């Protein structure tokens, strides 16, 4: 029986690294990607070690998510794992932040968790268990100027994790958060060089994380070795909280 892992935001950055690592671990990856970029999609499929499927879906659209869930339900195998990874930033100081910027970040980073997780959680309950990994952020843990929208959404992600972990425990559904620190992906490419240097100077390990360093933690949480951790928020941030 195929062990299906659903990964949102699968074709780039941290989602790509998680897809590749979980595929190496033996999962059948169902990737969810918003972009209709055939080249990127083909390269995603070719970079995985196992069978996989990629579905186009905007996670902010309940209708689009329902359509994808119907397609996942038709696949052979059972859904063991969901990784809620898709996310965006839309930074500005709060006094200048538009309602659109606030809503788009909350829709993508938080409301999408409701749309996708609820049907998959029901499937996991019927199957007798499963695992859910939510990707939050260091800035959801400590807040970040210029990111009131993002920090709110990412703090909400861990609230979601803690509450659902309590509900899911009796059904053998383990729910955890990973909170990456600053990670070397396209999300960081918009940051000014001098600000980026300041960020690195503040990280005890002196560098950004590589996406595969986040994926390795997801791999552990997804594995059979991890059977007694639920409701946790695992920081992978190069030591940002030391001292
Ligand atoms: P990227 O910008 O590299 O990738 C974001 C991914 O999310 C893309 O695959 C994108 O899809 C997908 N996505 C965005 N909006 C939607 C949507 N509406 N529907 C479907 N997919 C969508 O970001 P990262 O890899 O850096 O980030 C991954 C996660 O990690 C995010 O949740 C982010 O907040 C979090 N994170 C990142 C950090 C960093 O420093 N990079 C630090 C802490 C947390 P598409 O390619 O189709 O646009």
């Amino acid at each position: 029986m195929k062990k299906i892992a659903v990964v949102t935001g699968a074709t780039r950055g941290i989602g790509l690294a998680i897809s590749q690592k979980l595929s190496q671990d033996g999962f059948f990856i169902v990737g969810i990607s918003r972009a209709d970029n055939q080249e990127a999609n083909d390269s995603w499929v070719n970079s995985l070690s196992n069978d996989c499927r990629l579905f186009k879906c905007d996670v902010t659209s309940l209708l689009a998510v329902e359509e994808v869930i119907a397609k996942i339900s038709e696949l052979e195998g059972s859904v063991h794992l969901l990784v809620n990874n898709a996310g965006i930033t839309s930074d500005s100081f709060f006094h200048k932040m538009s309602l659109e910027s606030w809503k788009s970040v909350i829709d993508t980073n938080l409301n999408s968790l409701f749309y996708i997780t609820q049907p998959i959680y029901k499937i996991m309950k019927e199957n007798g268990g499963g695992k859910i990994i939510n990707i939050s952020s260091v800035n959801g843990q400590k807040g970040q100027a210029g990111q009131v929208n993002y920090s709110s959404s990412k703090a909400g992600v861990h609230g979601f994790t803690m509450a659902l972990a309590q509900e899911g425990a009796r059904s053998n559904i383990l729910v955890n958060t990973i909170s990456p620190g600053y990670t070397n992906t396209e999300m960081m490419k918009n940051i000014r060089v001098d600000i980026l240097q300041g960020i690195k100077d503040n990280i005890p390990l002196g560098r950004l994380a590589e996406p595969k360093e986040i994926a390795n933690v997801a791999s552990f949480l997804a594995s059979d070795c991890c059977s007694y951790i639920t409701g946790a928020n695992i920081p992978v941030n190069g030591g940002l909280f030391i001292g």
Side-chain angles (χ1 to χ4, degrees):
M1 172 83 84
K2 280 177 186 158
K3 287 171 75 170
I4 296 174
V6 178
V7 181
T8 70
T11 56
R12 288 199 279 129
I14 292 170
L16 173 61
I18 289 176
S19 301
Q20 290 170 335
K21 178 65 181 146
L22 293 177
S23 182
Q24 282 167 16
D25 293 346
F27 282 96
F28 177 101
I29 309 295
V30 173
I32 291 181
S33 165
R34 174 184 51 171
D36 213 358
N37 178 337
Q38 194 58 45
E39 205 178 314
N41 294 355
D42 288 348
S43 118
W44 180 83
V45 170
N46 292 332
S47 77
L48 299 199
S49 317
N50 255 317
D51 281 353
C52 56
R53 290 292 297 274
L54 188 63
F55 293 124
K56 179 175 160 13
C57 169
D58 178 342
V59 295
T60 65
S61 160
L62 178 57
L63 188 64
V65 170
E66 284 172 348
E67 284 171 8
V68 160
I69 298 292
K71 287 179 192 161
I72 292 171
S73 305
E74 284 167 11
L75 293 172
E76 197 188 306
S78 66
V79 180
H80 278 245
L81 175 69
L82 166 65
V83 184
N84 283 308
N85 165 75
I88 59 166
T89 54
S90 178
D91 298 353
S92 65
F93 286 116
F94 187 59
H95 63 282
K96 293 182 186 163
M97 187 173 285
S98 66
L99 180 60
E100 190 191 352
S101 162
W102 168 265
K103 281 187 170 168
S104 66
V105 170
I106 300 291
D107 270 351
T108 308
N109 297 0
L110 188 56
N111 288 341
S112 68
L113 265 63
F114 179 83
Y115 302 153
I116 294 190
T117 310
Q118 192 180 55
I120 290 186
Y121 178 78
K122 286 180 187 169
I123 292 170
M124 287 174 174
K125 268 175 90 80
E126 281 166 17
N127 291 348
K131 288 182 172 176
I132 298 167
I133 300 171
N134 297 318
I135 306 297
S136 179
S137 166
V138 65
N139 291 344
Q141 296 179 285
K142 69 169 187 54
Q144 177 60 45
Q147 291 194 325
V148 169
N149 49 4
Y150 184 80
S151 298
S152 303
S153 71
K154 291 299 189 178
V157 165
H158 188 54
F160 180 102
T161 290
M162 290 188 292
L164 191 60
Q166 291 184 27
E167 292 188 20
R170 292 291 159 90
S171 306
N172 194 30
I173 299 172
L174 308 190
V175 190
N176 290 293
T177 297
I178 298 174
S179 284
Y182 298 96
T183 307
N184 189 13
T185 70
E186 278 179 47
M187 193 171 264
M188 295 297 293
K189 300 241 157 73
N190 296 329
I191 296 183
R192 257 182 23 216
V193 174
D194 55 323
I195 295 179
L196 189 58
Q197 190 53 51
I199 287 172
K200 287 183 194 166
D201 291 344
N202 273 331
I203 301 170
L205 286 180
R207 62 173 176 85
L208 303 182
E210 290 304 320
K212 67 181 179 195
E213 295 177 299
I214 314 302
N216 287 339
V217 178
S219 165
F220 167 69
L221 288 174
S223 74
D224 292 342
C225 295
C226 175
S227 49
Y228 204 63
I229 300 176
T230 195
N233 188 356
I234 308 210
V236 189
N237 63 25
L240 270 174
F241 293 157
I242 299 172

